[in-house]
Amino acid sequence: MSESITELVLATGNPNKVAELAQLLGGRWSIKRRPEDLAETIEDGATLYENAAKKAREVHMATGSACLADDTGLFVAALGGRPGVFSARYAGPNADSADNVRLLLSELSGADDRTAYFETVLVLLDARGHETVVNGRCEGVIAEVSTGRAGFGYDPVFVPFDGDGRSFAEMTADEKNTFSHRGRALRTLRQELV
Ligand code: IMP
């Protein structure tokens, strides 16, 4: 059983994810950022869970506080589930989001099946190191061109099935959170912790 949590350190340094997580968690916990002097976690796990657990443990060891880590992948049917756990480095070790999106659109050029899903695994460690793991999935399709300027990563080409045809990057933060993998995972986490 998790001990009661009042203060939570986010293990991610990605400012976009911090903003989403803080918006979804605010009100319930006091949110703190990952210590700036802590080296970035090397994400060398074979699964989203392994990477998220590694991030959570490193931050927990450094701070002694309760902490929450997220690892997310985009799984594309026509690519046999790629880029999956390697989504951040899909177009190479120094790739940015524009490079990743460009490669994805080129690999899917002419594909009939453009279905894909995002999956997020969240690992929460309480101050004693007790672990809670949840996941969240969002199914959709990869659009043929990028649209929208909001969000981050693959958002301009991901159109969730549960939406109205707009990409995540055309949605407000609240709209994206309603459908998204991360929003779903966090709602499950909140339920688990009541
Ligand atoms: P990581 O969880 O930070 O390792 O993210 C893996 C990759 O997926 C990175 O390229 C992110 O930009 C991308 N990514 C993670 N979450 C999202 C999201 O909610 N929308 C779009 N791209 C995302």
Side-chain angles (χ1 to χ4, degrees):
M1 171 81 183
S2 281
E3 75 176 15
S4 174
I5 294 170
T6 51
E7 186 181 284
L8 196 58
V9 180
L10 297 183
T12 180
N14 177 332
N16 298 294
K17 281 190 182 178
V18 169
E20 280 191 18
L21 291 167
Q23 186 181 358
L24 285 154
L25 292 168
R28 174 158 183 163
W29 294 297
S30 152
I31 303 300
K32 294 202 152 180
R33 288 175 176 243
R34 180 186 175 100
E36 273 175 21
D37 53 356
L38 189 62
E40 250 188 64
T41 302
I42 297 168
E43 297 185 25
D44 53 4
T47 62
L48 298 177
Y49 167 74
E50 282 177 25
N51 284 336
K54 187 175 179 193
K55 281 184 246 188
R57 277 187 220 116
E58 288 187 5
V59 174
H60 181 253
M61 287 212 309
T63 63
S65 301
C67 57
L68 179 69
D70 151 308
D71 201 47
T72 297
L74 176 67
F75 297 79
V76 180
L79 303 180
R82 284 190 299 117
V85 74
F86 302 109
S87 293
R89 294 152 283 160
Y90 174 40
N94 301 314
D96 64 14
S97 292
D99 299 326
N100 287 336
V101 165
R102 217 173 294 119
L103 177 60
L104 180 61
L105 292 181
S106 112
E107 279 212 281
L108 284 184
S109 162
D112 291 330
D113 180 1
R114 302 185 72 91
T115 57
Y117 63 87
F118 275 113
E119 173 124 7
T120 287
V121 172
L122 295 178
V123 174
L124 176 83
L125 296 180
D126 71 14
R128 288 190 309 226
H130 178 274
E131 183 182 272
T132 304
V133 182
V134 296
N135 75 325
R137 202 180 261 212
C138 179
E139 314 248 2
V141 291
I142 305 300
E144 301 212 354
V145 291
S146 292
T147 50
R149 302 172 69 86
F152 66 100
Y154 298 92
D155 280 350
V157 290
F158 188 82
V159 179
F161 283 141
D162 289 342
D164 58 7
R166 284 175 297 155
S167 74
F168 271 159
E170 295 179 288
M171 296 182 181
T172 64
D174 279 342
E175 285 172 329
K176 178 181 172 188
N177 287 337
T178 306
F179 306 118
S180 81
H181 40 294
R182 199 165 294 105
R184 287 186 168 132
L186 274 166
R187 285 191 289 277
T188 303
L189 183 68
R190 291 177 82 117
Q191 284 163 9
E192 293 244 335
L193 295 180
V194 287

